[in-house]
Amino acid sequence: MNGIKDGVAIVTGGGSGIGRQTALRFAEEEASVVVADIDEEGGDETVELIQGDGGEATFVRTDVTDSDDVDAMVQTALDEYGGLDFAHNNAGIADEGTRLAEYDEAAWDRMIDINLKGVWRCLKAEIPEMADRGGGAIVNTSSVAGVSANGSAHYAASKHGVIGLTRRATVDYAEDGIRFNAVCPGVIDTPMVQQAGEDNTEEMERITAGIPAGRLGDPQEIASTVVWLCSEDASYVMGQPIVIDGGLLAQ
């Protein structure tokens, strides 16, 4: 893909699901990949998959609620591969469908700290290195809940916030040659969703039936969009929330 080869990419939440598939797609395009995740086993597995196909990858355990961890993640890209060109800030947690007045302040704080402030921490660490390198591209993971009323209040608020960060960063750093966009996945067939389906089969069948595409999304479909957004083929796409939902929000 145009402009990805020989670049250096960071993917947070790279140990499973969308993050793993994005890391694999970057590697397929011959980028070197820093796989960041709090899940060491999953992160190591992603690296093994990349290296097994002849790619370059390094795992770094990263808790996006810890600024020192995030700084170390970016430093790993510099130390191992000499710079940073692309980032997919994807690490996050899902909501439990609770109504606004029915969860406590600790639950609110945790959701915001991971899903929103975690993205901000990553941006804060990544942007200066990309600016020094002459530019780059960053994709943040939001959600259909970031552009609609889907999801519980704290989840929706966190994902709306990700889009706000993405747009503001675009305005602040376009002159530094850095592009920012967000992907807004619908219901994607990830381990997180699979677990929810096992816990409530009837609810998952109802959700799937309500998707015009008639199926869940594949993590590879999100990953391919992320890598395209980082490529030169998307050089004029800036500050956009890209909805990938099988037509869910078209209804």
Side-chain angles (χ1 to χ4, degrees):
M1 192 174 290
N2 196 2
I4 301 296
K5 184 177 179 180
D6 298 326
V8 180
I10 285 175
V11 180
T12 69
S16 65
I18 292 169
R20 171 173 287 178
Q21 292 304 318
T22 301
L24 293 174
R25 283 290 294 120
F26 272 122
E28 287 173 7
E29 298 297 331
E30 301 184 54
S32 299
V33 186
V34 174
V35 177
D37 205 302
I38 200 168
D39 174 10
E40 294 185 37
E41 182 177 355
D44 285 337
E45 288 176 357
T46 301
V47 168
E48 289 171 5
L49 288 168
I50 291 171
Q51 292 177 341
D53 284 337
E56 289 283 341
T58 300
F59 172 68
V60 56
R61 185 189 182 280
T62 306
D63 179 350
V64 296
T65 69
D66 186 324
S67 294
D68 289 340
D69 270 18
V70 172
D71 289 343
M73 172 188 76
V74 172
Q75 190 62 47
T76 298
L78 305 184
D79 292 344
E80 293 292 326
Y81 304 118
L84 179 62
D85 302 290
F86 316 114
H88 182 200
N89 298 321
N90 169 71
I93 57 174
D95 70 283
E96 299 177 355
T98 309
R99 294 193 299 169
L100 188 151
E102 295 173 3
Y103 51 79
D104 60 22
E105 190 168 346
W108 170 275
D109 288 345
R110 180 170 182 265
M111 182 70 72
I112 298 300
D113 198 22
I114 296 172
N115 284 9
L116 178 56
K117 196 173 180 182
V119 171
W120 171 78
R121 290 186 187 95
C122 290
L123 292 171
K124 190 173 187 299
E126 294 156 355
I127 286 169
E129 301 305 332
M130 287 190 182
D132 287 347
R133 199 166 168 86
I138 297 176
V139 179
N140 301 317
T141 297
S142 180
S143 166
V144 291
V147 292
S148 70
N150 284 275
S152 61
H154 56 345
Y155 183 74
S158 72
K159 294 302 187 179
H160 274 72
V162 168
I163 293 173
L165 280 179
T166 302
R167 286 175 164 159
R168 187 63 238 178
T170 297
V171 175
D172 285 348
Y173 294 100
E175 65 184 15
D176 293 289
I178 308 173
R179 292 188 302 106
F180 303 82
N181 289 287
V183 286
C184 302
V187 188
I188 309 301
D189 190 14
T190 63
M192 190 180 298
V193 170
Q194 290 165 6
Q195 180 60 53
E198 291 173 4
D199 294 341
N200 193 335
T201 303
E202 289 185 4
E203 177 66 9
M204 188 54 60
E205 289 175 350
R206 183 191 67 78
I207 290 172
T208 303
I211 300 170
R215 63 174 177 85
L216 303 185
D218 190 312
Q220 295 183 25
E221 293 173 304
I222 312 302
S224 293
T225 304
V226 170
V227 176
W228 174 76
L229 285 169
C230 288
S231 77
E232 293 176 5
D233 293 337
S235 61
Y236 206 54
V237 184
M238 301 173 67
Q240 297 304 306
I242 308 297
V243 177
I244 312 162
D245 69 348
L248 181 66
L249 297 188
Q251 303 176 94

